[in-house]
Amino acid sequence: MMIERLFKKKDISAVLNEPNEGRSGLKRSLSATNLVTLGIGAIVGTGIFVITGQAAALYAGPALTISFVISALGCVMAGLCYAEFAAMIPVSGGVYSYSYTTMGEILAWFVGWILILEYLFACSSVAVGWSGYMLSLLNGWGIEFPQQIAGATFDHLKDGSWVWTGRIINFPAVFIIAIVSAFLIGGIKQSAFVNNIIVVIKVGVILLFIGFGLSYVDTSNWVPYIPENTGGYGNFGWTGILRGAAVVFYAYLGFDALSTAAGEAKNPQKDMPKGILISLLICALLYIAVTTVLTGIVNYKELNVDAPIALAIDRAGSGLAWLSPFIKLGAIAGLSSVILVMMLGQSRVYYSISKDGLLPKVFSKVHDKHGVPHNATIFASIVTGIIAGLFPLHVLSELVSIGTLMAFTIVCISIVILRKTQPGLERPFKTPFVPYLPLLGAAICIIQMLSLPWSTWARLIGWTILGFLIYFTYGIKHSKLNNK
């Protein structure tokens, strides 16, 4: 009897009717354009400003452009699976909602808990990165920010110990989370408008670098295009291109958060697949173009720095010096939109799980005027702010990758399961080459998960244990599906 309760599934027709029950549904305000810009806002972050240079210098050289193409193909496989689900089950909650219809309550809870891990720590780590860029910009303007409130309270050393840094809190990180949360509480339409402006700024800055940087390219820096392997796997050559693809894979992460906003899209059956796939395509083209210009201005061997684009501008001389502050502004704008979309995703997961009774119902309350889950958003901002204010970037970022890859794996496998168990369902968008493409996408994600260090897996196990304690002490007793 207990096993039956744990694996009980939600009926898809009931899931589709949920947003229309009563007056408390979320407002459907997002157009196809809004969804595309939300996708770009989630994807384009520090990856384009940092990872490009380091991956070129250490693994692939100028051939990193090929790495970005390979990596994009891996993301598109997961993206096609997300697109099918988002069009078929256009409700908030993303992978959590999909899993409830395919694998049952206990696995849906596990997926929802992993999504909270992904969005919570992604948002926290990006906020810490935003703080670093903002402090650098202020320093460039001659403004000294108090060190006591400009960094993490604790640090985690290589020997596994925790130490107090002597600082009180990372105030800029907490500040940006509070500002973004205020916009989100103001309504999804307002949040989408702010995101649109931010995306225009950061894409504009990237296009300025590409456009003006082309005239400073020295084609001799592209020779050899594929540097000869230096003797080890991943040290240039074709194995370096493959390792580079695994590294830059993380530059594409974030589009999955878009699926959590399906319940607020005007025409989700048509627009969600467009939003996911078009945003991935645009970001892939931007990454390839930036890498081409970057490795053309600076020899790839010199690009293992924290700010490779800034280095390229310096090498170009006075002709591009005017662009330097705009690059920092673009990075700050880029990180701001990532925080916004990740915070949106996190609050919608709380909202969806709460609607099913697995979390307290306070999180599923929707604001009468703004049509957003305001309590879930406030809670998400408080928890995220505490974590971002207290802990360093390297501890937070480790947990983001494993959570995201696990979500991708589950989506790919769920597509195969649902095609077998419910072949007659209406599918406005269909993932091609099922089951081969989804299974290949799942395999790519699993391989990358297995390459992560044991310490990351240990933290994931700890997070999972905490999640199941909450489920078995609260969720299973209040489950609406099992208490009908």
Side-chain angles (χ1 to χ4, degrees):
M1 187 68 178
M2 172 63 80
I3 297 296
E4 185 181 336
R5 290 187 68 184
L6 293 177
F7 290 93
K8 193 170 184 179
K9 301 172 187 175
K10 292 177 76 172
D11 182 74
I12 289 182
S13 60
V15 174
L16 294 175
N17 288 327
E18 280 177 2
N20 301 317
E21 294 175 3
R23 297 182 180 179
S24 59
L26 302 175
K27 289 185 179 180
R28 292 193 177 273
S29 306
L30 300 176
S31 65
T33 302
N34 292 145
L35 293 170
V36 170
T37 55
L38 278 172
I40 296 171
I43 297 169
V44 178
T46 51
I48 201 166
F49 296 102
V50 178
I51 292 178
T52 46
Q54 295 176 351
L58 299 175
Y59 308 118
L64 187 67
T65 51
I66 301 175
S67 300
F68 270 115
V69 173
I70 294 171
S71 188
L73 290 174
C75 280
V76 165
M77 290 178 190
L80 287 166
C81 296
Y82 268 96
E84 177 171 325
F85 266 126
M88 182 171 55
I89 312 174
V91 297
S92 293
V95 192
Y96 163 78
S97 299
Y98 311 153
S99 300
Y100 220 145
T101 63
T102 56
M103 295 186 286
E105 182 172 284
I106 184 68
L107 291 175
W109 165 263
F110 170 71
V111 171
W113 191 243
I114 292 298
L115 285 178
I116 291 172
L117 167 77
E118 176 191 347
Y119 299 144
L120 172 61
F121 285 91
C123 204
S124 301
S125 62
V126 174
V128 173
W130 185 95
S131 173
Y133 272 100
M134 179 56 73
L135 291 171
S136 173
L137 188 64
L138 292 175
N139 189 53
W141 291 341
I143 300 173
E144 289 292 330
F145 199 82
Q147 290 299 304
Q148 284 292 96
I149 54 172
T153 309
F154 303 102
D155 197 8
H156 189 246
L157 304 180
K158 290 183 178 180
D159 62 6
S161 61
W162 288 91
V163 296
W164 180 50
T165 63
R167 293 176 175 175
I168 300 170
I169 199 167
N170 190 335
F171 177 78
V174 177
F175 173 78
I176 186 59
I177 289 169
I179 294 297
V180 166
S181 300
F183 281 118
L184 286 171
I185 292 171
I188 190 66
K189 202 167 184 178
Q190 174 182 290
S191 302
F193 176 73
V194 172
N195 180 71
N196 290 347
I197 294 173
I198 293 173
V199 167
V200 168
I201 292 171
K202 68 178 174 183
V203 172
V205 168
I206 292 166
L207 292 176
L208 283 174
F209 172 73
I210 295 168
F212 286 96
L214 278 171
S215 59
Y216 294 90
V217 165
D218 179 356
T219 55
S220 65
N221 287 324
W222 293 334
V223 180
Y225 182 66
I226 302 178
E228 187 176 348
N229 184 271
T230 57
Y233 182 89
N235 296 325
F236 305 105
W238 279 101
T239 60
I241 290 173
L242 293 175
R243 177 163 287 180
V247 171
V248 301
F249 179 84
Y250 303 109
Y252 288 104
L253 303 185
F255 71 86
D256 58 311
L258 186 58
S259 65
T260 65
E264 292 155 279
K266 291 178 181 178
N267 189 0
Q269 283 83 0
K270 289 184 178 180
D271 293 345
M272 287 305 298
K274 289 180 184 176
I276 291 170
L277 298 175
I278 292 174
S279 60
L280 269 174
L281 175 62
I282 290 173
C283 292
L285 292 174
L286 287 174
Y287 286 159
I288 291 167
V290 166
T291 303
T292 301
V293 174
L294 185 64
T295 55
I297 297 176
V298 182
N299 188 280
Y300 71 91
K301 296 176 183 177
E302 303 174 45
L303 285 173
N304 188 22
V305 295
D306 291 335
I309 293 180
L311 175 64
I313 291 171
D314 291 339
R315 289 295 173 84
S318 58
L320 278 185
W322 60 272
L323 193 54
S324 184
F326 289 99
I327 292 297
K328 287 184 180 179
L329 180 64
I332 290 169
L335 296 175
S336 299
S337 64
V338 174
I339 295 169
L340 188 146
V341 181
M342 290 299 175
M343 186 72 76
L344 184 148
Q346 187 187 160
S347 62
R348 271 45 174 187
V349 172
Y350 288 133
Y351 165 79
S352 298
I353 297 176
S354 173
K355 273 180 57 180
D356 294 324
L358 306 182
L359 283 176
K361 63 181 181 181
V362 66
F363 295 125
S364 58
K365 288 186 177 180
V366 176
H367 196 281
D368 293 334
K369 180 180 178 182
H370 303 304
V372 296
H374 55 294
N375 289 336
T377 304
I378 292 169
F379 178 76
S381 68
I382 292 171
V383 177
T384 306
I386 291 171
I387 293 173
L390 298 181
F391 299 103
L393 182 61
H394 64 92
V395 172
L396 302 174
S397 57
E398 286 177 1
L399 285 164
V400 178
S401 299
I402 197 164
T404 305
L405 288 168
M406 186 164 287
F408 282 13
T409 303
I410 290 166
V411 167
C412 291
I413 292 172
S414 295
I415 284 291
V416 179
I417 293 172
L418 206 57
R419 287 287 186 95
K420 291 288 185 182
T421 57
Q422 300 191 52
L425 281 174
E426 182 183 351
R427 291 173 168 85
F429 178 89
K430 283 189 174 184
T431 305
F433 309 116
V434 173
Y436 307 108
L437 187 146
L439 291 178
L440 180 58
I444 291 171
C445 294
I446 290 170
I447 289 169
Q448 293 190 80
M449 285 172 64
L450 293 175
S451 69
L452 292 169
W454 162 245
S455 60
T456 304
W457 281 94
R459 292 187 183 113
L460 176 68
I461 292 168
W463 179 262
T464 302
I465 292 171
L466 174 62
F468 281 126
L469 283 174
I470 294 172
Y471 176 75
F472 284 108
T473 56
Y474 181 89
I476 196 169
K477 297 175 184 177
H478 297 83
S479 166
K480 290 183 180 179
L481 183 65
N482 278 305
N483 288 326
K484 281 184 179 179

